[in-house]
Amino acid sequence: MRTFLVSLTAGALVAFAAPAAAAPPSVLAAPDIPVANVQAHLNQFQSIATSNGGNRAHGRPGYRASIDYVQGRLNAAGYTTSLQSFTSGGATGWNLIAEWPRGDANNVIMAGGHLDGVTAGPGINDNGSGSAALLEIALTIASQNLDPAKRIRFGWWGAEERGLIGSTYYVNNLPSAERSRIKGYVNFDMIGSPNPGYFVYSASGQPSGSLALQQVLQAPFATMGVPTELTSVGGRSDHAAFANVGIPVGGLFTGAEVTKTSSQAAKWGGTAGQAFDRCYHASCDTTSNINVTALDRNTDAIAYAIWTLSAGTTPPTGPRFENTTDVAIPDQSTVESPIAVTGVAGNAPAGLQVTVDIRHTYIGDLVVDVLAPDGSVYNLHNRSGGSTDNIATTYTVNASSEVANGTWRLRVRDAAAQDTGTINAWSLQF
């Protein structure tokens, strides 16, 4: 993650191509990406740094060796790759662009992160973590022979730590017609912090922030039962170049030098009063500076986002309504939490998304329904899951027969004794 800005000068574009895989295409659900494979790439980055002066910084041999490692794996997997060179601080840098040669080339979903580190250390969390996750996801796309509706493009950026140099050069040198083909860019910078938080880029916190991308990135964490926080990272990473030209952006982040609060430690674990990454921009940012659980969760969330966004299905873009007021759920009782919906014309959609965050120590006790304004009942959860803790997930309800405006209610019934809980929050996405 960068800390300051400097100027750049133009360079050259060198292209390499590998043949596409010959097997027949198939469309598959987003897979569980083995975190051990991601760690193997991080071990390679660590070895590269160790062999090249202890870092992988712009203008140093460790950065070029990192580029060569990633590009070699992608070429062997069937990607079309290109190296884009630029000059910053009197040294040559490179961006690596890789495109999976399937899907509509006029509708591109792009994912990226910076591959360079600072001179002080090997840069394993910042940003070997995002770079390694993207590499393993790209290799999984190839191994599964994915045939997406949209074109998938990856970017590993150079000289981010000098001020977003590589990504800015890439975006500024795209012809306007090429820019218009990029329908969204998602950025992954520091996703394995040792004292992690789970942050999603806020749609309202930056130019061209996208609510649709924000919600796609939040969804897998809700399924995992991991709460997230929205954050504005401003111009601190490579999404900024895309946002500045109007391309919708989003991203994930596990925290850098900022201190974790007590409430965040209660929510996510870890140590309050300590930085999310005490080795930020330091020599101790090694493979020992990674929280493997955070790396695993974020990698799977990135895969979910890429599979979802490239599938051709349009994420919901209508208004979202939320109630975050806690409602206690006593034993053997029924409680409700209301949401007043206004300003939505006509009926609710056939794919109304109901996101529920209920904290309870025995969800097998619970019956959970959403009630439309006219009292119609749509069951979401009916005493399944046994002794599992908490319900944190998004349900899809066909509410197309219901008028959208009015008071919707989440009704929760505790049908047994001994375990209690709380409705922490719930929302409706139209």
Side-chain angles (χ1 to χ4, degrees), residues 11-31:
L13 182 68
V14 184
F16 303 86
S26 59
V27 178
L28 302 174

Side-chain angles (χ1 to χ4, degrees), residues 47-136:
S47 295
I48 287 169
T50 301
S51 299
N52 290 278
N55 67 72
R56 301 182 305 103
H58 165 76
R60 306 297 179 89
Y63 179 70
R64 181 55 199 249
S66 298
I67 282 278
D68 290 344
Y69 169 71
V70 175
Q71 186 175 33
R73 295 297 305 270
L74 294 167
N75 284 344
Y79 278 80
T80 301
T81 68
S82 62
L83 282 181
Q84 183 183 45
S85 69
F86 55 86
T87 302
S88 177
T92 300
W94 294 274
N95 295 322
L96 170 60
I97 310 301
E99 193 158 302
W100 183 238
R102 295 200 178 128
D104 182 0
N106 291 313
N107 288 280
V108 177
I109 293 297
M110 193 162 187
H114 70 94
L115 185 54
D116 69 311
V118 295
T119 56
I124 298 303
N125 186 40
D126 184 16
N127 180 39
S129 60
S131 294
L134 289 169
L135 174 57
E136 187 57 31

Side-chain angles (χ1 to χ4, degrees), residues 333-344:
S333 67
T334 300
V335 299
E336 293 184 351
S337 175
I339 288 178
V341 173
T342 60
V344 182

Side-chain angles (χ1 to χ4, degrees), residues 71-260:
Q71 186 175 33
R73 295 297 305 270
L74 294 167
N75 284 344
Y79 278 80
T80 301
T81 68
S82 62
L83 282 181
Q84 183 183 45
S85 69
F86 55 86
T87 302
S88 177
T92 300
W94 294 274
N95 295 322
L96 170 60
I97 310 301
E99 193 158 302
W100 183 238
R102 295 200 178 128
D104 182 0
N106 291 313
N107 288 280
V108 177
I109 293 297
M110 193 162 187
H114 70 94
L115 185 54
D116 69 311
V118 295
T119 56
I124 298 303
N125 186 40
D126 184 16
N127 180 39
S129 60
S131 294
L134 289 169
L135 174 57
E136 187 57 31
I137 288 166
L139 296 178
T140 303
I141 287 170
S143 67
Q144 293 200 349
N145 206 22
L146 192 70
D147 191 19
K150 297 179 182 178
R151 187 65 57 97
I152 301 171
R153 183 182 301 165
F154 295 93
W156 284 267
W157 310 116
E160 189 267 2
E161 299 290 6
R162 293 184 58 82
L164 316 181
I165 302 301
S167 57
T168 300
Y169 183 81
Y170 173 78
V171 171
N172 288 351
N173 284 276
L174 280 175
S176 58
E178 289 298 320
R179 285 185 189 173
S180 69
R181 294 186 174 100
I182 302 175
K183 306 307 180 183
Y185 172 79
V186 281
N187 192 66
F188 307 105
D189 186 353
M190 302 180 66
I191 62 166
S193 300
N195 189 29
Y198 293 89
F199 298 102
V200 177
Y201 291 11
S202 170
S204 60
Q206 56 206 358
S208 295
S210 167
L211 179 60
L213 294 181
Q214 173 192 306
Q215 291 170 344
V216 167
L217 291 163
Q218 287 173 308
F221 290 103
T223 301
M224 296 175 203
V226 177
T228 57
E229 286 185 13
L230 297 179
T231 187
S232 173
V233 293
R236 289 191 64 183
S237 195
D238 293 295
H239 64 285
F242 294 84
N244 289 339
V245 297
I247 295 171
V249 298
L252 300 176
F253 177 48
T254 52
E257 78 279 16
V258 173
T259 299
K260 178 179 279 188

Side-chain angles (χ1 to χ4, degrees), residues 264-358:
Q264 289 170 330
K267 176 166 53 180
W268 292 321
T271 305
Q274 186 180 105
F276 293 102
D277 185 355
R278 291 186 295 173
C279 291
Y280 175 65
H281 284 186
S283 60
C284 55
D285 187 11
T286 66
T287 49
S288 298
N289 192 45
I290 291 289
N291 182 290
V292 177
T293 298
L295 183 69
D296 190 15
R297 288 170 171 171
N298 278 273
T299 301
D300 289 339
I302 296 168
Y304 170 89
I306 292 173
W307 259 252
T308 300
L309 294 169
S310 67
T313 56
T314 303
T317 57
R320 181 174 181 267
F321 301 84
E322 184 175 31
N323 187 336
T324 59
T325 302
D326 288 354
V327 178
I329 309 169
D331 274 337
Q332 297 179 310
S333 67
T334 300
V335 299
E336 293 184 351
S337 175
I339 288 178
V341 173
T342 60
V344 182
N347 285 7
L352 178 67
Q353 292 190 359
V354 184
T355 299
V356 175
D357 182 1
I358 296 174

